[in-house]
Amino acid sequence: MRNLTRISLALTGSAALALIAVVPANAADTLTVSITGGSLAITTGDNGLALGAVVPGAPSTGTLTGVTATDSRAGVEGWVAQATVGAFESSTADTVATTSMSTAALTYTATVPAVTGTVTATNAAAVELSGTAVSVVTADAVSGVNTATWDAGLSVAIPAQALAGTYTAVLTHSIL
């Protein structure tokens, strides 16, 4: 019986060593990564746009190219691009004072935006600009970093009573 006991003990000890040999050693570390979001920005491809010369009562048109909204926030919130325009003013030798022309007749028509990233950008229909911000492109279904680029057709209805001269106005884009 002694031999049986020794054999049983020897088999039991071998099985325990084999079981210990197949159990892997583990070490776990917690990894943390912080992703910081950037900001919203809007730029235009043009640095000034000369609309065509016209006679009073006719429209003056042009195209502002490469308006780009960049969303580097790396989030899921949408954004809205807006535009405003100041008064068209002229200071010429023919007039002693500054002459102003109504801006209510400036029409802004954004093309369908070309996008990168995950975003649905929608252009507004033709809108009349003034000193109050008006939405021109809206983005939703956003996920992460994205951009949208569009061109804007501009048309100024020159009043029939406008005085001759060169008029300038500031067109401002903003993004919220």
Side-chain angles (χ1 to χ4, degrees), residues 33-144:
V33 176
S34 294
I35 299 173
T36 57
S39 61
L40 285 171
I42 192 163
T43 58
T44 62
D46 294 321
N47 190 15
L49 175 65
L51 300 175
V54 295
V55 297
S60 180
T61 61
T63 302
L64 182 65
T65 59
V67 181
T68 302
T70 303
D71 180 359
S72 300
R73 297 174 299 171
V76 295
E77 292 183 37
W79 49 262
V80 176
Q82 298 179 323
T84 62
V85 68
F88 281 87
E89 295 182 345
S90 174
S91 256
T92 64
D94 297 346
T95 59
V96 176
T98 299
T99 303
S100 185
M101 187 172 55
S102 169
T103 61
L106 175 64
T107 302
Y108 182 111
T109 307
T111 60
V112 174
V115 299
T116 62
T118 303
V119 60
T120 300
T122 307
N123 57 318
V127 294
E128 285 192 9
L129 298 184
S130 65
T132 303
V134 176
S135 297
V136 293
V137 173
T138 303
D140 57 12
V142 172
S143 181

